[in-house]
Amino acid sequence: MTPSSTQRVSIVGGSGYVGGELLRYLIPHPSVEVVQVTSESNAGKPVRTLHPQLRGWSDLRFSAMAELEPCDLLILALPHGEAASRIDAFSALAPRIIDCSADFRLGDASVYESTYGAPHAAPDWLARFQYGLPEAHRGALTEAAHVSGVGCNATASNLALLPLARAGVLDPAMPAIVDLKVGSSEAGRRATAGSHHPERSGVARSFAPTGHRHVAEVRQVTGIRNVDLSVTSVEMVRGVLATAHVWLKEPLTDRALWSIYRESYGSDPFVRIVHDRGGAYRHPEPRLVAGTNHGDVGWELAADGRRLVALAAIDNLGKGAAGTAVQCLNLMAGFDEAAGLRSISLHPA
Amino acid sequence: MTPSSTQRVSIVGGSGYVGGELLRYLIPHPSVEVVQVTSESNAGKPVRTLHPQLRGWSDLRFSAMAELEPCDLLILALPHGEAASRIDAFSALAPRIIDCSADFRLGDASVYESTYGAPHAAPDWLARFQYGLPEAHRGALTEAAHVSGVGCNATASNLALLPLARAGVLDPAMPAIVDLKVGSSEAGRRATAGSHHPERSGVARSFAPTGHRHVAEVRQVTGIRNVDLSVTSVEMVRGVLATAHVWLKEPLTDRALWSIYRESYGSDPFVRIVHDRGGAYRHPEPRLVAGTNHGDVGWELAADGRRLVALAAIDNLGKGAAGTAVQCLNLMAGFDEAAGLRSISLHPA
Amino acid sequence: MTPSSTQRVSIVGGSGYVGGELLRYLIPHPSVEVVQVTSESNAGKPVRTLHPQLRGWSDLRFSAMAELEPCDLLILALPHGEAASRIDAFSALAPRIIDCSADFRLGDASVYESTYGAPHAAPDWLARFQYGLPEAHRGALTEAAHVSGVGCNATASNLALLPLARAGVLDPAMPAIVDLKVGSSEAGRRATAGSHHPERSGVARSFAPTGHRHVAEVRQVTGIRNVDLSVTSVEMVRGVLATAHVWLKEPLTDRALWSIYRESYGSDPFVRIVHDRGGAYRHPEPRLVAGTNHGDVGWELAADGRRLVALAAIDNLGKGAAGTAVQCLNLMAGFDEAAGLRSISLHPA
Amino acid sequence: MTPSSTQRVSIVGGSGYVGGELLRYLIPHPSVEVVQVTSESNAGKPVRTLHPQLRGWSDLRFSAMAELEPCDLLILALPHGEAASRIDAFSALAPRIIDCSADFRLGDASVYESTYGAPHAAPDWLARFQYGLPEAHRGALTEAAHVSGVGCNATASNLALLPLARAGVLDPAMPAIVDLKVGSSEAGRRATAGSHHPERSGVARSFAPTGHRHVAEVRQVTGIRNVDLSVTSVEMVRGVLATAHVWLKEPLTDRALWSIYRESYGSDPFVRIVHDRGGAYRHPEPRLVAGTNHGDVGWELAADGRRLVALAAIDNLGKGAAGTAVQCLNLMAGFDEAAGLRSISLHPA
């Protein structure tokens, strides 16, 4: 599309962690002006009250949703279910919408219903939303007006599996089990008994040993039918490590896997292939992508050449949510895909 | 007093972290039978529902307070204020009471009021309670029927300062500032916005830079008037490190300080003097007392022989609460003072 | 065997973390006297220099190996390879030996060689050592004079898988992938670039995505041929969580799995079945076994009744090393199997 | 000075954490070209080998010091002592030098000797170096050719105390005790027994209870004579929290302190005054400056109006080392003072 001039962007539901991360990326974004940020329960308060990292960076205050004005692009960061139930109203406010919730991620209303346990509130809109994973749908995103954000666990899984699925090398008779290690910010800002620091600190907790619901997004994006996700909460705040246990239909060499991953990510602005011969950082590591939009992918091939562990590390709030949303915004608006998103992670951290 | 036979003990308000720690010490205690544990909101549930460490160790279920039966000794682990308002009823149930709250720690009702911001609900009872720090009041505790538990930050401070106060070596013209580093379990079990793992993780947070209210207990125990406590929350679950900045009225040698500390703690069953010449563990360290009733004390003397940093490390739930309460129980009942309390901490941990 | 009187025990190679944990269990053990503890580089120093948790608990000093005297039972906690190369000398010193290293874990010298990359130094001794997992070999251990300790990752895996293997319910055509989350103490006491706190802190690091060598112990104990272990290092010091992805040959109910696990562990003194309907602690959790000899096992069955995730949590230094060694000592000596090993974990911690 | 064109910068001793952080700031810096980075033991290796955060960001390889070529500005990040012993050689290579070590921080050679325990190797150079704290010496830095970096603990202390010292409100008869809570990256990259993750994890360790040597920098910058620093290591990788216990010569109001702090920092590009009425983030917090060049300062005044706790939080690798060095570079070169240094911290993190 034709490059846009500065986009006037408002964030609906900006009090959560994804909202904060969107602001962290968008406030210094060279081609974006953040116009409004809503939070019903915090309307009138400075955004830095809830997002203390913005102290000195923004004088914005939260608005109520009822005060929303028309703008170029709306980003919805509402609890699951709320975007779908108000999508007509939101679409009247802006020609472009990015929804960070799960509401418009699945193209099939029946899959949505079996995954989320309730009928979809606006099934007609499903076909109008493009799933927003640039690594899978870059072309379509440059043309899209309505884009769905991505699930964090789905994204780590998809980045690890997509090259293998595209190359057609997975054994269809075997399962694909993605064992995910995740940080505490995945559960959002609301304090619960389980998120209380003395209870959550230092755990290796089986959160969803089988059937994490992001599996539907992985099936949709990769086409792998017999995939399952297994989620364990570990001691970190940000980060997802996906350890995908898969089997190849024929033995491959390490060199062949390099080709397969390069084919998908060789020129990607954010996905790095991490597959060194040695060193503590020879595999993808969530700490090294924390605070960035990077997705690091790698693998280890067993001696038999058929058992393969595909690895991916992302920041659940970055590449797994807000970073990818901003990357989609850039594609939708015709900006440099990486505008506002370039940053080097901290090490040590 | 004459050694008692087994004590039948009930815990009132046993759903919190102090309640859980009392159970951890008392269930295997050789001379205690835990009869009832109350929790209004959890009555009927197994105690392991809230205290998962007790799985396989106890089939006890929570009772409602109204179901309390007479017993030998009641331990109150209620929110501050509740023990005082019901003390007559509790005293009708048991000849001996240990109250872990702040209600009966201060002997002077006016100091209580200025510290806790409300008049005391049962001022007549104040004189009937003995402050329960064995290192300061061992003799009185063997005769006491009503004993108050201790504040965790007060206890770390008192263990560090008591030998100096007793020896009369502190300069009365100078302040005594106890800079405390504390873990998240100090704030109890209730989840709050500030205790949410993503918010509390990895902090060094100035919780009470001046005037933490445990200072009243330190004044009462040590007699040091111009003492103040300053509390910083750091990344740990259990533990208090007290760094007490004090000044001596005359220069002392390191050897003299050894004598002063040995005088107070040379034969104490739980206080260890930690003052090595080198090594990572040359000073007291909260991790090395976690899960135990140990209080480790040490010091570093500045080159001028007058500026002194006195150090103490405790487990806030152990020596700072439940451990000391059980130690008091042992003294009150005529048991071996260390009964049920001997354990070696984990290292590494 | 006939119950022994007090055993005089010496520890060879006692400066490491397993050595420290052995001392933590054996110093207060009611029927054990620790006679000597060796460390070549620390001979003459108090054991508390390296094991600061023992301050106030033991005045033992390290001896050199050359100073070892005959005793009732030797526990070897040497680096892998050293026990095998000196086994004749050690056997001359004591009629009973427990070796905590990997040297005598595998009954087949060729499996040892393919696993550890070198021929075994004393293959004739392999048949004389009994693998020391009480849950698998309790009977044999009561008769054994020479017992091998267990691998920590193997033990977590074996506890999760053993009931399923015994029941014969696993689909032999499908893989068994044990995805292990492990703490930093697994790598022992030696500081390395990768264990440096700023580098190791907060990681989710793919340590051995495929083929961790403990797999040989799992094959030997469970008989499952197509099992593989995948190890990820996470932010904890102690602890292993095994997430075993397996498939049943026929669909089973949750009730059937209860029976299968109860059959193996219903009367076990240390293995707890953790499989609640809800709550943060519904599955096994390494923090809740830290510092204990407990092994907690559980599972989650997928909706199809065939995909199963079997779970186990242990303390790598406890049930995964020193705890199990002491349990074997108890069985070998005819003591109460749980002597010296009973303790409730900390919560919160 | 006249604004420079792009500066060609080389880093001497670039394998450590300060070296890595300099690269993180300088590689994307709009007016800097990093020409060479030296490391004797890593010469020839890609810088990302040691600084994995730079993967995909830089193809630089380490050079040996002997290969250094002339450039516009040298930044020295060598172990303490090495800059002074080679300063003549370095000055022949570049007209401008920034030294991050302690070698040129103290203007007085006798103070250097008493602080660091050895005579200074190049005392004539001391007067030629400007101490590089922009908040104290901004004007001089714009004219300086040779600038010394700052100590991290000194910087946190100086930022907290400087406004009070300048305003002349401190009671000269009273001490000023800065109790510092610091992260593990302060000790640099070299793995030691004490930095081993199982030993360092979760500690609150009295590293230097009295007399930390950065005190000399605090005396020099603030002019406060009876100041002392006390350092405790806590569980974080990056970060310093300074809790400065001071006394005012006359009681002040909170409003007066606002004026005093605004006077020093009202227009500073990186120092933020953090002094809210409530909320978890009402005081400075190291996590909220991690990865940035921000220094956050605040205070709490006791009820008597005289006891004051002044607070400051910095990232030891950022504002406490590399960030401030780059800020000095910007001032020396006539660039925008904040060039390459603007970034919003992560929250949660």
Side-chain angles (χ1 to χ4, degrees):
Chain A
M1 73 180 322
T2 8
S4 309
S5 54
T6 293
Q7 290 275 298
R8 301 179 71 254
V9 173
S10 291
I11 298 170
V12 186
S15 64
Y17 289 150
V18 173
E21 195 73 352
L22 286 166
L23 289 167
R24 193 173 73 84
Y25 282 122
L26 293 178
I27 286 171
H29 192 292
S31 304
V32 165
E33 178 195 354
V34 179
V35 183
Q36 290 183 296
V37 185
T38 80
S39 167
E40 299 313 288
S41 53
N42 297 287
K45 291 186 193 163
V47 293
R48 73 165 169 78
T49 310
L50 287 169
H51 305 304
Q53 71 275 31
L54 299 177
R55 189 187 292 266
W57 285 87
S58 172
D59 292 327
L60 268 173
R61 288 171 180 270
F62 289 110
S63 306
M65 215 185 287
E67 300 170 286
L68 272 176
E69 293 164 17
C71 62
D72 296 328
L73 190 150
L74 270 185
I75 305 185
L76 313 179
L78 293 162
H80 296 318
E82 299 195 12
S85 66
R86 302 172 195 208
I87 187 62
D88 290 311
F90 291 136
S91 72
L93 286 168
R96 289 175 178 146
I97 293 179
I98 299 172
D99 174 40
C100 296
S101 81
D103 290 10
F104 298 104
R105 291 183 196 159
L106 302 175
D108 182 328
S110 68
V111 175
Y112 178 91
E113 184 165 349
S114 65
T115 301
Y116 291 97
H120 197 280
D124 294 350
W125 275 90
L126 288 177
R128 299 167 67 182
F129 269 83
Q130 169 61 46
Y131 189 78
L133 184 65
E135 288 71 19
H137 313 291
R138 186 167 280 117
L141 287 164
T142 61
E143 306 296 331
H146 299 99
V147 166
S148 164
V150 293
C152 47
N153 296 326
T155 299
S157 304
N158 281 328
L159 292 180
L161 295 174
L162 201 50
L164 303 168
R166 283 174 172 163
V169 294
L170 293 175
D171 183 344
M174 292 292 281
I177 300 294
V178 190
D179 191 295
L180 296 136
K181 292 81 182 171
V182 308
S184 62
S185 65
E186 274 209 357
R189 178 191 284 277
R190 202 168 58 86
T192 64
S195 80
H196 188 45
H197 184 272
E199 304 289 327
R200 178 62 177 74
S201 182
V203 303
R205 181 170 292 166
S206 303
F207 172 71
T210 67
H212 186 279
R213 60 195 189 180
H214 284 184
V215 72
E217 289 173 59
V218 181
R219 285 203 189 99
Q220 176 176 289
V221 170
T222 65
I224 303 172
R225 299 310 305 165
N226 47 352
V227 65
D228 199 15
L229 309 191
S230 181
V231 177
T232 303
S233 303
V234 299
E235 175 59 54
M236 58 185 173
V237 172
R238 287 180 182 231
V240 181
L241 177 68
T243 311
H245 301 279
V246 297
W247 284 264
L248 304 173
K249 57 186 177 193
E250 289 174 14
L252 289 179
T253 61
D254 206 57
R255 180 189 293 254
L257 287 161
W258 267 109
S259 295
I260 286 169
Y261 277 91
R262 279 215 187 93
E263 176 73 22
S264 277
Y265 302 133
S267 59
D268 193 278
F270 292 110
V271 178
R272 299 182 294 198
I273 301 176
V274 178
H275 183 65
D276 293 350
R277 294 217 174 109
Y281 296 100
R282 64 190 181 279
H283 296 303
E285 161 66 56
R287 272 202 327 179
L288 284 173
V289 295
T292 78
N293 194 46
H294 283 299
D296 284 0
V297 300
W299 66 87
E300 186 167 285
L301 188 60
D304 68 0
R306 286 199 55 217
R307 167 158 151 68
L308 175 72
V309 173
L311 301 160
I314 62 167
D315 179 336
N316 54 301
L317 297 176
K319 189 74 192 158
T324 285
V326 174
Q327 192 176 351
C328 288
L329 180 158
N330 288 338
L331 290 168
M332 294 163 80
F335 299 150
D336 168 8
E337 184 175 347
L341 288 170
R342 288 184 189 89
S343 67
I344 307 178
S345 71
L346 305 187
H347 177 80
Chain B
M1 72 179 324
T2 7
S4 310
S5 53
T6 293
Q7 289 275 298
R8 300 179 72 256
V9 174
S10 291
I11 299 171
V12 187
S15 64
Y17 289 150
V18 173
E21 195 73 353
L22 286 166
L23 289 167
R24 193 174 72 85
Y25 282 123
L26 293 178
I27 285 171
H29 192 292
S31 305
V32 165
E33 178 195 353
V34 180
V35 183
Q36 290 183 293
V37 185
T38 80
S39 167
E40 300 313 289
S41 52
N42 297 288
K45 291 187 194 164
V47 293
R48 73 164 169 80
T49 310
L50 287 169
H51 305 304
Q53 72 274 31
L54 300 177
R55 187 188 295 265
W57 285 87
S58 172
D59 292 328
L60 268 173
R61 287 171 181 269
F62 289 111
S63 306
M65 215 186 286
E67 301 170 286
L68 272 176
E69 294 164 15
C71 61
D72 296 327
L73 190 149
L74 270 185
I75 306 185
L76 314 179
L78 293 162
H80 296 318
E82 298 195 12
S85 66
R86 302 172 194 209
I87 188 62
D88 290 313
F90 292 136
S91 71
L93 286 169
R96 289 176 179 144
I97 292 178
I98 298 172
D99 173 39
C100 295
S101 82
D103 289 10
F104 299 104
R105 292 183 196 157
L106 302 175
D108 183 327
S110 68
V111 174
Y112 178 91
E113 183 165 352
S114 65
T115 300
Y116 291 97
H120 197 280
D124 294 351
W125 275 88
L126 289 178
R128 299 168 66 180
F129 269 84
Q130 169 59 48
Y131 189 78
L133 184 65
E135 288 72 20
H137 313 292
R138 185 166 282 116
L141 286 163
T142 62
E143 307 295 332
H146 300 100
V147 165
S148 164
V150 293
C152 49
N153 296 325
T155 298
S157 305
N158 282 328
L159 291 180
L161 294 173
L162 201 51
L164 304 168
R166 283 174 171 162
V169 295
L170 293 175
D171 184 344
M174 292 293 280
I177 300 295
V178 189
D179 191 294
L180 295 136
K181 292 82 181 169
V182 309
S184 62
S185 65
E186 275 209 356
R189 177 190 284 278
R190 203 168 57 85
T192 64
S195 79
H196 188 45
H197 183 272
E199 303 289 326
R200 178 63 176 74
S201 181
V203 303
R205 181 169 293 166
S206 304
F207 172 71
T210 68
H212 186 278
R213 60 195 188 180
H214 284 184
V215 72
E217 289 173 59
V218 181
R219 286 205 187 96
Q220 176 177 290
V221 169
T222 65
I224 303 171
R225 300 310 304 166
N226 47 354
V227 65
D228 199 15
L229 309 191
S230 182
V231 177
T232 303
S233 303
V234 299
E235 174 60 51
M236 58 185 173
V237 171
R238 289 178 180 233
V240 182
L241 176 69
T243 311
H245 301 279
V246 298
W247 285 263
L248 304 173
K249 58 186 177 192
E250 290 174 14
L252 288 180
T253 61
D254 205 59
R255 178 189 295 253
L257 287 161
W258 267 109
S259 296
I260 285 170
Y261 276 91
R262 280 216 186 92
E263 177 73 22
S264 279
Y265 301 132
S267 59
D268 193 279
F270 292 110
V271 178
R272 299 183 293 197
I273 301 176
V274 179
H275 184 65
D276 294 350
R277 293 216 175 109
Y281 295 100
R282 65 190 181 278
H283 297 302
E285 161 66 55
R287 272 204 326 180
L288 284 173
V289 295
T292 79
N293 194 44
H294 282 300
D296 284 0
V297 299
W299 65 88
E300 186 167 285
L301 188 60
D304 68 359
R306 286 199 55 217
R307 166 157 152 67
L308 176 72
V309 173
L311 301 160
I314 62 167
D315 180 335
N316 54 301
L317 297 177
K319 189 74 193 157
T324 284
V326 174
Q327 193 177 351
C328 288
L329 179 158
N330 288 338
L331 290 167
M332 294 164 80
F335 299 150
D336 169 8
E337 184 176 347
L341 289 170
R342 287 183 190 91
S343 67
I344 307 179
S345 71
L346 305 188
H347 177 80
Chain C
M1 71 180 323
T2 7
S4 310
S5 55
T6 293
Q7 290 276 297
R8 301 179 72 255
V9 174
S10 291
I11 298 171
V12 187
S15 63
Y17 289 151
V18 173
E21 195 72 354
L22 286 166
L23 289 167
R24 194 174 73 83
Y25 282 122
L26 293 179
I27 286 172
H29 192 292
S31 304
V32 166
E33 179 195 353
V34 180
V35 183
Q36 290 183 294
V37 185
T38 80
S39 166
E40 300 312 288
S41 53
N42 297 288
K45 292 186 193 164
V47 293
R48 73 165 169 77
T49 310
L50 286 169
H51 305 304
Q53 71 275 31
L54 300 177
R55 189 187 293 267
W57 285 87
S58 173
D59 293 327
L60 268 173
R61 288 172 181 270
F62 288 110
S63 306
M65 215 186 286
E67 301 171 287
L68 271 177
E69 294 163 15
C71 62
D72 295 328
L73 191 149
L74 271 186
I75 306 185
L76 313 179
L78 293 163
H80 295 319
E82 299 195 11
S85 64
R86 303 171 194 211
I87 188 62
D88 290 312
F90 291 137
S91 71
L93 286 169
R96 288 175 179 146
I97 292 178
I98 298 172
D99 173 40
C100 295
S101 82
D103 289 10
F104 298 104
R105 292 183 196 158
L106 302 175
D108 182 328
S110 68
V111 174
Y112 177 90
E113 183 166 350
S114 65
T115 302
Y116 292 97
H120 198 280
D124 293 350
W125 275 89
L126 288 177
R128 299 167 66 182
F129 269 84
Q130 168 60 47
Y131 189 78
L133 184 65
E135 288 71 19
H137 313 291
R138 185 166 281 116
L141 287 164
T142 61
E143 307 296 331
H146 300 100
V147 165
S148 164
V150 292
C152 48
N153 296 326
T155 299
S157 304
N158 282 328
L159 291 180
L161 295 174
L162 201 51
L164 304 168
R166 283 174 172 163
V169 295
L170 294 175
D171 184 344
M174 292 292 281
I177 300 295
V178 189
D179 191 293
L180 296 136
K181 293 81 182 170
V182 309
S184 62
S185 65
E186 274 209 356
R189 179 191 283 278
R190 202 167 58 86
T192 63
S195 79
H196 188 45
H197 183 272
E199 303 289 327
R200 177 64 176 75
S201 181
V203 303
R205 182 170 292 167
S206 303
F207 172 71
T210 68
H212 186 279
R213 59 194 189 180
H214 284 185
V215 71
E217 289 173 58
V218 181
R219 285 203 189 99
Q220 176 176 287
V221 169
T222 65
I224 303 172
R225 299 310 305 165
N226 47 353
V227 66
D228 198 16
L229 309 191
S230 181
V231 177
T232 304
S233 303
V234 299
E235 174 60 53
M236 57 186 173
V237 171
R238 288 179 182 233
V240 182
L241 176 68
T243 312
H245 300 279
V246 297
W247 284 264
L248 303 173
K249 56 187 179 193
E250 290 174 14
L252 289 179
T253 62
D254 206 58
R255 179 188 294 254
L257 287 161
W258 267 110
S259 296
I260 286 170
Y261 277 91
R262 279 216 186 92
E263 176 73 21
S264 278
Y265 302 132
S267 60
D268 192 279
F270 292 110
V271 178
R272 300 183 292 198
I273 301 176
V274 179
H275 183 65
D276 293 350
R277 295 219 173 105
Y281 296 99
R282 66 190 180 279
H283 297 303
E285 160 67 56
R287 273 204 326 180
L288 284 173
V289 294
T292 78
N293 194 45
H294 282 300
D296 284 0
V297 300
W299 67 86
E300 185 167 287
L301 187 61
D304 67 0
R306 287 200 53 218
R307 166 157 151 69
L308 175 71
V309 174
L311 301 160
I314 61 167
D315 180 337
N316 54 302
L317 297 176
K319 189 73 192 157
T324 284
V326 173
Q327 192 175 351
C328 288
L329 180 158
N330 289 338
L331 290 167
M332 293 163 80
F335 299 150
D336 168 8
E337 183 175 347
L341 288 170
R342 288 183 190 89
S343 67
I344 307 179
S345 72
L346 305 187
H347 176 79
Chain D
M1 71 180 328
T2 10
S4 311
S5 53
T6 292
Q7 290 275 297
R8 301 180 72 255
V9 173
S10 291
I11 299 171
V12 187
S15 63
Y17 289 150
V18 173
E21 195 74 353
L22 286 166
L23 289 167
R24 193 174 71 87
Y25 282 123
L26 293 178
I27 286 172
H29 192 293
S31 305
V32 165
E33 179 196 353
V34 180
V35 183
Q36 289 182 294
V37 185
T38 80
S39 167
E40 300 313 289
S41 52
N42 298 287
K45 291 187 195 165
V47 293
R48 73 166 170 79
T49 310
L50 287 168
H51 306 304
Q53 72 275 30
L54 300 177
R55 187 188 294 265
W57 286 87
S58 173
D59 292 328
L60 267 173
R61 288 171 181 269
F62 288 110
S63 307
M65 216 187 286
E67 301 171 286
L68 272 176
E69 294 163 16
C71 61
D72 295 328
L73 191 150
L74 271 185
I75 305 185
L76 313 179
L78 293 162
H80 296 317
E82 298 195 13
S85 65
R86 302 172 195 209
I87 187 63
D88 290 313
F90 291 136
S91 72
L93 286 169
R96 289 174 179 146
I97 292 179
I98 298 171
D99 174 40
C100 295
S101 82
D103 289 10
F104 299 104
R105 292 182 196 158
L106 302 174
D108 184 327
S110 67
V111 175
Y112 178 91
E113 183 166 349
S114 65
T115 300
Y116 292 96
H120 197 280
D124 294 351
W125 274 89
L126 288 177
R128 299 167 67 180
F129 268 84
Q130 169 60 46
Y131 188 79
L133 184 65
E135 288 71 19
H137 314 290
R138 184 166 282 116
L141 287 163
T142 61
E143 306 296 331
H146 299 99
V147 165
S148 163
V150 294
C152 49
N153 296 325
T155 298
S157 304
N158 281 329
L159 291 180
L161 294 174
L162 201 52
L164 304 168
R166 282 173 171 163
V169 296
L170 294 175
D171 184 343
M174 293 292 280
I177 300 295
V178 189
D179 191 294
L180 296 137
K181 292 83 181 168
V182 309
S184 62
S185 65
E186 275 209 356
R189 179 190 283 276
R190 203 167 57 84
T192 64
S195 79
H196 188 46
H197 183 271
E199 304 289 327
R200 178 62 176 75
S201 181
V203 303
R205 181 170 292 167
S206 304
F207 171 72
T210 68
H212 186 279
R213 60 195 190 180
H214 284 184
V215 71
E217 289 173 59
V218 181
R219 285 205 188 98
Q220 176 176 288
V221 169
T222 66
I224 303 172
R225 299 309 306 165
N226 46 354
V227 66
D228 199 16
L229 309 191
S230 182
V231 177
T232 303
S233 302
V234 299
E235 174 60 52
M236 57 185 173
V237 171
R238 290 179 179 231
V240 182
L241 176 68
T243 311
H245 301 278
V246 297
W247 285 263
L248 304 172
K249 59 186 177 193
E250 290 174 14
L252 288 180
T253 61
D254 205 59
R255 179 189 294 252
L257 287 161
W258 267 110
S259 296
I260 285 169
Y261 277 91
R262 280 215 185 92
E263 177 73 21
S264 278
Y265 302 132
S267 59
D268 192 279
F270 292 110
V271 179
R272 299 182 293 197
I273 301 176
V274 179
H275 184 65
D276 294 350
R277 296 218 173 106
Y281 296 99
R282 65 190 180 280
H283 296 302
E285 161 65 57
R287 272 203 326 180
L288 284 172
V289 295
T292 79
N293 194 45
H294 282 300
D296 284 0
V297 300
W299 66 88
E300 185 167 286
L301 188 61
D304 68 359
R306 287 200 55 217
R307 166 156 152 69
L308 176 71
V309 173
L311 300 160
I314 62 167
D315 179 336
N316 54 301
L317 297 177
K319 189 73 191 158
T324 284
V326 173
Q327 193 176 352
C328 288
L329 179 158
N330 288 338
L331 290 167
M332 293 163 81
F335 298 150
D336 169 8
E337 183 175 347
L341 289 169
R342 287 183 190 90
S343 67
I344 307 179
S345 71
L346 305 188
H347 176 79

